[in-house]
Amino acid sequence: MAKLESLGIKRIEGIHYYVHDLERSRRFYCGMMDFAETWRSSPELEARGRQQSAVFEAGDVRVVCSSPRGEGGRAARFLGKHPDGVGTLIFEVEDAARTFALLEARGGTPIADIETFQDDGGTLRQFSITTPFGDCTFRFRERRGFTGFFPGAVKLDAPVGGSNAFGFEQIDHVTSNFQTMKPMLLWLEHVMGFEQMWEVAFHTSDVDPDRKTGSGLKSIVMWEPTSGVKFANNEPARPFFRSSQINIFNEELRGDGVQHVAMTVGDIIGAVKGLRARQVNFMPTPTSYYEMLPERIAKTGIDAIDEDLKVLEDLQILVDGDHHHAYMLQIFLKEAAGLYNDPSAGPFFYEIIQRKGDRGFGAGNFRALFESIEREQQKQGAT
């Protein structure tokens, strides 16, 4: 297939997360993650959209959380079918009209025509389209001096909450789970114009064929080279398809959807120390992972890393890479349901990542992550 013309995506501007309890989200983002609450929905917007929203920011990471106010709004419709989850991904684009025309010509499905809004700073043009994964839509925004975060948002006189003490920078990638991912891959390629960047297949039974249960996946990363926007896409793998943690995620979310969002930091050790001090819980890593880490580092060709392995083990930070002194450090928060001890909070979680020259996605860490998620699911009674 010939390379398609770029849609003019500049970045992922933010995610729109539908939640049952907005106050709980406020405590999490402001009190634990040190995000700042910067915007809230106006009373007029809340009455019209039948939902209440707040915007949380740290670096270039923006999360809009909305909870229902009565029936009939988008938040109520989403949460009527799913637990808490990501319902919209928001992209900033260079030219909304051009993006709209390209998407429609390639078979994209706009939800409505382009809308135009004005404020004292300038113009915002936006539109949304449906996608092949679950009830998550894509929204595209062109900003021409528009100062509001979204139409109907009211800026707080002073940000409430944190000051980004942990140094969150930007969204590195978005990972989604599917029971079959081929429709999404084709849609990303033929409609969005993305290209394949990376892939891996993994199963916990690879090293123990006698296992009676296990978890596996196929993962393919698609990206848009101009903007660097990346989507990792997972599907379950046999054997034990039904007990795969990818399949269990889909059952818990009640459909395909966004599994996690990765956020970059400049100093993951300092960030994790600070977050742990604020009682943020992370996915546990098996001790065996660190026992095998020096040998695995040597085999990958990384040669050496700057960090003390004992410090990484104490903080349970994962390491991966594939060539001379280029590697990445990553860690995963517990899924929201585990963080809040509430199934209605859903299976979404965050990844924190520090890239030190490596562009990969931690193929060598998949086993550790999968084993960790399996143990968490077993604790919660998932089968």
Side-chain angles (χ1 to χ4, degrees):
M1 176 180 169
K3 185 174 180 179
L4 295 178
E5 183 180 351
S6 169
L7 293 176
I9 294 171
K10 298 171 71 174
R11 61 177 177 138
I12 296 179
E13 184 178 273
I15 68 172
H16 199 154
Y17 194 18
Y18 294 104
V19 300
H20 286 89
D21 188 340
L22 186 57
E23 285 303 315
R24 181 168 66 184
S25 297
R26 188 169 275 123
R27 291 192 297 271
F28 172 74
Y29 287 102
C30 295
M32 300 176 77
M33 300 290 281
D34 209 51
F35 278 52
E37 184 178 358
T38 53
W39 299 81
R40 292 179 183 173
S41 49
S42 66
E44 295 78 16
L45 181 62
E46 291 173 10
R48 186 169 66 250
R50 299 180 184 179
Q51 61 190 37
Q52 186 178 43
S53 303
V55 180
F56 305 101
E57 300 188 45
D60 285 332
V61 180
R62 292 172 177 84
V63 181
V64 184
C65 290
S66 295
S67 59
R69 289 295 177 266
E71 296 298 322
R74 166 76 164 134
R77 292 195 301 273
F78 184 94
L79 295 172
K81 297 172 64 177
H82 309 282
D84 293 3
V86 176
T88 303
L89 296 175
I90 308 163
F91 302 84
E92 185 179 0
V93 297
E94 296 168 353
D95 184 334
R98 177 176 166 274
T99 303
F100 186 98
L102 287 171
L103 287 169
E104 195 167 41
R106 297 172 188 173
T109 308
I111 294 171
D113 291 328
I114 297 172
E115 296 179 291
T116 302
F117 302 91
Q118 300 282 149
D119 69 6
D120 293 339
T123 302
L124 174 76
R125 295 194 294 170
Q126 70 175 22
F127 68 94
S128 298
I129 65 172
T130 60
T131 74
F133 63 114
D135 290 310
C136 185
T137 59
F138 284 5
R139 180 172 298 137
F140 301 89
R141 286 181 176 157
E142 173 198 350
R143 293 184 178 274
R144 298 290 180 185
F146 190 85
T147 56
F149 184 74
F150 56 81
V154 178
K155 189 173 185 178
L156 302 184
D157 292 336
V160 175
S163 57
N164 195 20
F166 308 125
F168 294 113
E169 298 170 337
Q170 61 187 358
I171 293 175
D172 183 86
H173 63 272
V174 175
T175 296
S176 299
N177 288 350
F178 308 89
Q179 289 203 313
T180 175
M181 67 178 169
K182 190 66 173 179
M184 185 59 167
L185 299 178
L186 291 170
W187 185 84
L188 284 171
E189 179 184 5
H190 292 273
V191 177
M192 293 287 290
F194 281 41
E195 303 172 11
Q196 184 170 328
M197 176 185 183
W198 184 90
E199 68 177 304
V200 69
F202 165 80
H203 206 289
T204 50
S205 63
D206 291 346
V207 295
D208 183 8
D210 296 326
R211 286 185 65 148
K212 302 303 181 185
T213 186
S215 194
L217 92 167
K218 297 176 184 177
S219 183
I220 293 179
V221 176
M222 303 289 288
W223 79 318
E224 209 264 355
T226 304
S227 64
V229 169
K230 300 181 287 290
F231 286 95
N233 309 279
N234 302 327
E235 69 178 14
R238 69 180 194 281
F240 318 121
F241 180 101
R242 289 182 177 83
S243 63
S244 164
Q245 62 99 344
I246 303 299
N247 183 61
I248 291 173
F249 171 94
N250 282 59
E251 291 181 348
E252 291 177 346
L253 186 66
R254 297 193 285 279
D256 297 338
V258 176
Q259 181 205 45
H260 75 266
V261 168
M263 303 181 292
T264 61
V265 293
D267 173 19
I268 196 170
I269 288 177
V272 173
K273 283 181 177 178
L275 289 164
R276 288 192 182 278
R278 293 200 184 190
Q279 309 305 310
V280 174
N281 293 318
F282 296 87
M283 293 283 188
T285 305
T287 303
S288 59
Y289 173 88
Y290 295 98
E291 293 171 350
M292 299 168 61
L293 187 56
E295 179 183 354
R296 189 161 63 79
I297 289 174
K299 285 183 178 179
T300 60
I302 299 174
D303 293 341
I305 65 171
D306 301 328
E307 292 75 18
D308 185 329
L309 291 183
K310 184 63 171 67
V311 172
L312 297 181
E313 180 177 2
D314 289 344
L315 295 172
Q316 298 200 307
I317 295 171
L318 307 173
V319 186
D320 205 272
D322 59 9
H323 57 282
H324 178 68
H325 208 69
Y327 59 98
M328 55 176 281
L329 304 163
Q330 62 186 157
I331 193 168
F332 301 86
L333 272 67
K334 275 192 174 183
E335 61 177 22
L339 283 173
Y340 300 131
N341 195 29
D342 176 7
S344 73
F348 174 82
F349 58 91
Y350 283 106
E351 172 185 351
I352 299 173
I353 185 169
Q354 180 182 355
R355 293 196 179 275
K356 305 191 74 170
D358 183 78
R359 296 196 313 162
F361 287 80
N365 292 332
F366 268 68
R367 184 179 307 280
L369 174 62
F370 262 54
E371 290 176 351
S372 176
I373 292 176
E374 275 189 359
R375 284 195 300 274
E376 289 300 304
Q377 289 173 338
Q378 289 165 4
K379 286 180 185 176
Q380 296 169 25
T383 58

